[in-house]
Amino acid sequence: MAVAIIGAGQSKFGTRKDVNVAELAWEAVKPAMQSANVEQKDIDFMVVGTAGMWSSEAAVPALMYEYGKFEDVGSMRVEAACATGNAAIRVGYTAIESGEADVVLVLGVEKMQESPNPTVIELIGRFGSYFWEFENFGLTFPGYYALHATAYMAKYGATEEDFARVAVKNHHYGAKNPYAQFQREISLEKALNSPYVAWPFKLFDCSPITDGSAAVILASEEKVKEWGIEEKIWILGQGVGTGTANLSRRESFTSLRSAAYAAEVAYKKAGIDMDAPYKYLDGADVHDCFTAAEVIAYEDLRFAKRGEGVQLVREEQTYIGGRIPVNVDGGLKAKGHPIGATGVSQAVEAWKQLLSKAENGRQVDVKNGRYLAHNVGGTGHYSYVTIYGLEKR
């Protein structure tokens, strides 16, 4: 059964001490429902993606049921580390595919800044192999991904400047996105002169701690026909991969095997040639929690051959007009990374781009009618790759 996104919305990302969790979530849910032209009574099932360890509210689905005045609707809370948002979309997608629901609200929300930064950093560290890597060696996520960055540098000759260029690109587009946490451009010099966090990563190589929400309305093909919905995009395929908990059991630090596998599954389901998938896509949102992670994603997604992802950066091939535009919403780096909302926000971006609704000169050229979202939890502990399209399979 084909599944469509018929409405989408998101909040402003950033430090949102002006609202509580329910109010923040409603900033995304309300426009999603309005754009889909649905009311609370139309929703069969509600999926809420939230890690939530750092905020006061834990029972967010029930909170939103009450706050949003929903009627007799089932709900579920989903968590898959930083891939929580796309995991929530998968639950909603499979609920419709299985015939259990016709219309599903998928919400991702996070109020990370209710806790102090050291607490948040320690809690995020639990998404790795906590008792071995955090307790014994003090690894937090800048250190985790720095291991991948240095391995990539040693094997393929990438430099700190190459990674800084990713930050410059994503801030360039974040400056154009009214929902982004950082709406300002940065120079290469500024990125390179920022303080180190975990070598080779400097401040501008790292995604921020973010409050934010994003929501999409999913509907079955039957409902799309019944309601005569014209503005929609379809989920063409989704792949899910799992990595080892302990990094010492990984075969490579220059690739996330779970992401490469998820991409392969998604491409097959969407009918996309895996030799050069970028030729079939109009753009992509990839999980750039750190700048090196974006470069590695180029290769896991087969936008470039192994070791050649850094060339896309040097040649500016992931800007609009290049081989494949990547993170033209600012990505996690500049748009922000509210854990539970990130993957849902990627779906919101796919909806905007494919329907030519992107703001402020950051609209991609829609030729193929397909857009990709790549959402990673931990350091490849969970990986989701989803292909969206204007035409259903």
Side-chain angles (χ1 to χ4, degrees):
M1 184 184 295
V3 179
I5 294 178
I6 62 171
Q10 78 171 67
S11 74
K12 170 73 169 62
F13 284 7
T15 302
R16 297 300 311 275
K17 296 182 179 178
D18 55 317
V19 289
N20 61 33
V21 172
E23 292 166 337
L24 181 62
W26 191 247
E27 287 184 20
V29 172
K30 183 178 179 180
M33 293 177 65
Q34 288 176 334
S35 59
N37 195 28
V38 299
E39 300 176 0
Q40 285 87 336
K41 63 181 176 59
D42 298 315
I43 305 297
D44 298 322
F45 191 55
M46 177 168 55
V47 187
V48 178
T50 183
M53 301 178 289
W54 25 70
S55 60
S56 53
E57 299 287 354
V60 181
L63 178 71
M64 291 314 300
Y65 174 85
E66 176 187 319
Y67 186 88
K69 299 179 180 178
F70 288 91
E71 303 174 12
D72 298 327
V73 60
S75 66
M76 182 177 181
R77 176 180 169 178
V78 177
E79 182 275 313
C82 301
T84 291
N86 224 321
I89 288 173
R90 183 169 183 82
V91 171
Y93 170 58
T94 55
I96 293 174
E97 266 201 323
S98 68
E100 287 292 316
D102 283 312
V103 183
V104 176
L105 164 63
V106 179
L107 164 68
V109 62
E110 219 71 75
K111 278 275 285 173
M112 300 181 73
Q113 298 202 35
E114 282 192 12
S115 294
N117 283 6
T119 300
V120 174
I121 292 166
E122 188 268 337
L123 289 171
I124 293 174
R126 298 184 183 214
F127 291 142
S129 182
Y130 181 79
F131 287 112
W132 178 248
E133 291 157 359
F134 182 87
E135 288 286 292
N136 286 328
F137 304 111
L139 267 178
T140 59
F141 269 76
Y144 274 122
Y145 273 95
L147 294 174
H148 291 274
T150 52
Y152 191 91
M153 293 166 77
K155 189 170 184 178
Y156 298 123
T159 65
E160 293 178 51
E161 181 174 318
D162 292 325
F163 297 147
R165 289 184 184 277
V166 175
V168 170
K169 171 183 70 72
N170 293 353
H171 274 267
H172 171 72
Y173 288 115
K176 299 174 182 293
N177 185 350
Y179 298 94
Q181 183 166 358
F182 299 131
Q183 295 175 25
R184 63 179 184 269
E185 299 206 34
I186 60 170
S187 66
L188 183 61
E189 181 181 21
K190 185 178 182 69
L192 287 171
N193 289 334
S194 62
Y196 281 105
V197 175
W199 187 86
F201 293 144
K202 305 177 186 68
L203 180 65
F204 285 102
D205 290 297
C206 308
S207 61
I209 293 170
T210 310
D211 301 331
S213 66
V216 293
I217 307 296
L218 306 183
S220 65
E221 184 177 359
E222 286 74 10
K223 277 296 180 184
V224 169
K225 291 177 180 176
E226 178 186 334
W227 289 345
I229 295 170
E230 295 183 0
E231 285 196 338
K232 74 275 186 185
I233 65 173
W234 300 92
I235 298 176
L236 303 184
Q238 188 179 66
V240 183
T242 308
T244 65
N246 194 313
L247 288 189
S248 68
R249 299 185 183 276
R250 302 284 176 91
E251 297 174 357
S252 170
F253 277 67
T254 58
S255 170
L256 300 182
R257 183 175 176 178
S258 63
Y261 170 75
E264 182 177 332
V265 173
Y267 289 146
K268 284 181 179 178
K269 289 183 177 179
I272 291 177
D273 184 354
M274 286 184 284
D275 289 335
Y278 56 88
K279 294 181 179 179
Y280 298 80
L281 300 166
D282 295 316
D285 261 37
V286 309
H287 198 91
D288 61 318
C289 49
F290 299 91
T291 51
E294 178 166 327
V295 178
I296 290 171
Y298 298 161
E299 298 174 18
D300 287 338
L301 296 168
R302 306 192 187 199
F303 298 165
K305 295 178 181 178
R306 290 293 173 195
E308 296 181 7
V310 69
Q311 289 300 123
L312 297 186
V313 177
R314 293 168 180 168
E315 297 170 5
E316 299 190 346
Q317 288 296 313
T318 52
Y319 281 79
I320 291 174
R323 176 183 291 187
I324 181 167
V326 175
N327 289 342
V328 298
D329 57 357
L332 284 63
K333 174 71 224 29
K335 182 173 65 173
H337 185 24
I339 303 292
T342 292
V344 185
S345 179
Q346 291 178 334
V348 173
E349 179 66 9
W351 186 78
K352 285 184 179 181
Q353 290 290 351
L354 290 174
L355 295 175
S356 298
K357 293 176 177 286
E359 312 89 348
N360 302 332
R362 56 178 202 86
Q363 175 64 51
V364 303
D365 188 7
V366 180
K367 292 180 178 179
N368 300 297
R370 298 186 190 92
Y371 213 86
L372 180 145
H374 159 274
N375 194 195
V376 175
T379 54
H381 293 74
Y382 318 106
S383 291
Y384 289 76
V385 174
T386 308
I387 313 293
Y388 300 97
L390 285 173
E391 301 295 332
K392 66 182 179 67
R393 282 277 286 166

